[in-house]
């Protein structure tokens, strides 16, 4: 069965381009972005891994560790990395899991046989420090992911985790957020000293609390 939000992300030990890791230990007290790509030496993947390397500092500012996976072996990953560096003008800076035995792909249901028998689809898992799955996304091989959107979602997830707020459609960091319905007006008065506006009794907005 596929993983659902709130499930504990399966733990595993795997070889990566930065040595052997135990996934839960590697996450530690951070958040984690685990994402799969169909295959090494393919064009869309080359742009995606380069973009992620360029954004590594942005992920770090949010206390997020990034790790990629495909069913290629370590030798293949290591031969591909110089191409990613050259094409994207970046020093490669995060681990890629060598999952030629498909252990991780199967644990995370990343092979969708009606799309491809052999390759992983483009899955995204955002995992919290409690090791729970906070977000899943699945893209086809032909569509490169939007890593700005992944950063945006992380901002939203972290605000929810820390402040009992939700974020509206197309929200971006810095914009007003929504007070979750579980918070009463009395609690909201205490929790949100910047005040809030009731557009409807169930739709109350407040300035982003961590700014
Ligand atoms: C790519 O990464 O470019 C790709 C991989 C598999 C199928 C189509 C595109």
């Amino acid at each position: 069965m596929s993983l659902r939000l709130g499930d504990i992300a399966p733990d595993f030990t795997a070889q990566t381009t930065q040595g052997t890791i135990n996934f839960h230990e590697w996450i530690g007290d951070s958040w984690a972005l685990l994402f799969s790509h169909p295959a090494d030496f393919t064009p869309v993947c080359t742009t995606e891994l380069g973009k992620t390397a360029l954004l590594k500092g942005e992920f770090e500012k949010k206390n997020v560790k990034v790790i990629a996976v495909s069913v290629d072996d370590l030798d293949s990953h290591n031969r591909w990395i110089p191409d990613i560096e050259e094409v994207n003008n970046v020093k490669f800076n995060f681990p890629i899991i060598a999952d030629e035995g498909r252990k991780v792909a199967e644990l995370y249901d990343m092979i969708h046989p009606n799309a491809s028998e052999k390759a992983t689809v483009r899955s995204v898992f955002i995992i919290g420090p409690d090791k729970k799955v906070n977000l899943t996304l699945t893209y086809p091989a032909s569509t490169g992911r939007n890593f700005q959107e992944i950063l945006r979602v992380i901002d939203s997830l972290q605000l929810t985790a820390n402040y009992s707020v939700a974020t509206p459609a197309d929200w971006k960091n810095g914009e007003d957020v929504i007070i979750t319905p579980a918070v009463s007006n009395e609690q909201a008065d205490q929790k949100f000293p910047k005040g809030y506006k009731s557009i409807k009794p169930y739709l109350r907005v407040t300035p982003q609390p961590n700014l």
Side-chain angles (χ1 to χ4, degrees):
M1 194 167 77
S2 57
L3 279 175
R4 293 176 172 174
L5 302 189
D7 290 354
I8 296 290
D11 197 15
F12 57 83
T13 297
Q15 273 196 315
T16 81
T17 50
Q18 295 186 355
T20 301
I21 63 150
N22 169 265
F23 189 50
H24 282 193
E25 269 175 29
W26 176 84
I27 295 174
D29 295 328
S30 303
W31 291 66
L33 165 66
L34 168 68
F35 67 108
S36 57
H37 57 277
D40 295 354
F41 298 102
T42 51
V44 177
C45 302
T46 302
T47 63
E48 285 194 322
L49 271 75
K51 181 61 77 172
T52 309
L54 287 162
L55 291 172
K56 169 103 177 301
E58 295 303 309
F59 286 107
E60 278 175 353
K61 278 188 214 157
K62 299 176 196 301
N63 190 28
V64 179
K65 291 183 170 176
V66 296
I67 190 163
V69 59
S70 76
V71 294
D72 300 292
D73 64 23
L74 204 55
D75 178 56
S76 167
H77 290 337
N78 282 326
R79 283 185 292 109
W80 182 38
I81 283 172
D83 285 4
I84 300 171
E85 292 184 325
E86 181 193 327
V87 168
N88 299 281
N89 194 22
V90 67
K91 181 95 191 102
F92 202 71
N93 51 16
F94 63 91
I96 313 176
I97 297 166
D99 192 36
E100 69 271 30
R102 298 178 171 211
K103 182 167 76 178
V104 178
E106 281 169 18
L107 279 172
Y108 284 79
D109 197 26
M110 290 167 167
I111 295 187
H112 297 194
N114 291 327
S116 166
E117 287 283 350
K118 285 195 254 160
T120 40
V121 290
R122 293 187 198 283
S123 299
V124 177
F125 295 89
I126 298 175
I127 298 160
D130 57 2
K131 316 299 180 286
K132 287 188 180 165
V133 176
N134 278 245
L135 173 126
T136 65
L137 286 172
T138 307
Y139 277 53
S142 49
T143 303
R145 286 157 285 199
N146 182 333
F147 287 84
Q148 292 298 337
E149 167 62 5
I150 292 172
L151 286 164
R152 188 192 76 89
V153 172
I154 289 166
D155 284 335
S156 173
L157 292 171
Q158 294 184 341
L159 278 172
T160 302
N162 295 328
Y163 297 98
S164 312
V165 294
T167 54
D170 295 338
W171 172 87
K172 287 194 280 315
N173 196 20
E175 295 177 352
D176 287 356
V177 299
I178 292 172
I179 300 172
T180 52
V183 177
S184 68
N185 285 345
E186 293 68 34
Q187 289 167 326
D189 290 336
Q190 299 295 315
K191 257 176 114 68
F192 302 104
K194 292 176 191 163
Y196 62 89
K197 205 166 43 184
S198 286
I199 296 167
K200 292 282 177 193
Y202 54 84
L203 174 53
R204 298 162 299 171
V205 295
T206 187
Q208 189 173 317
N210 62 337
L211 295 180

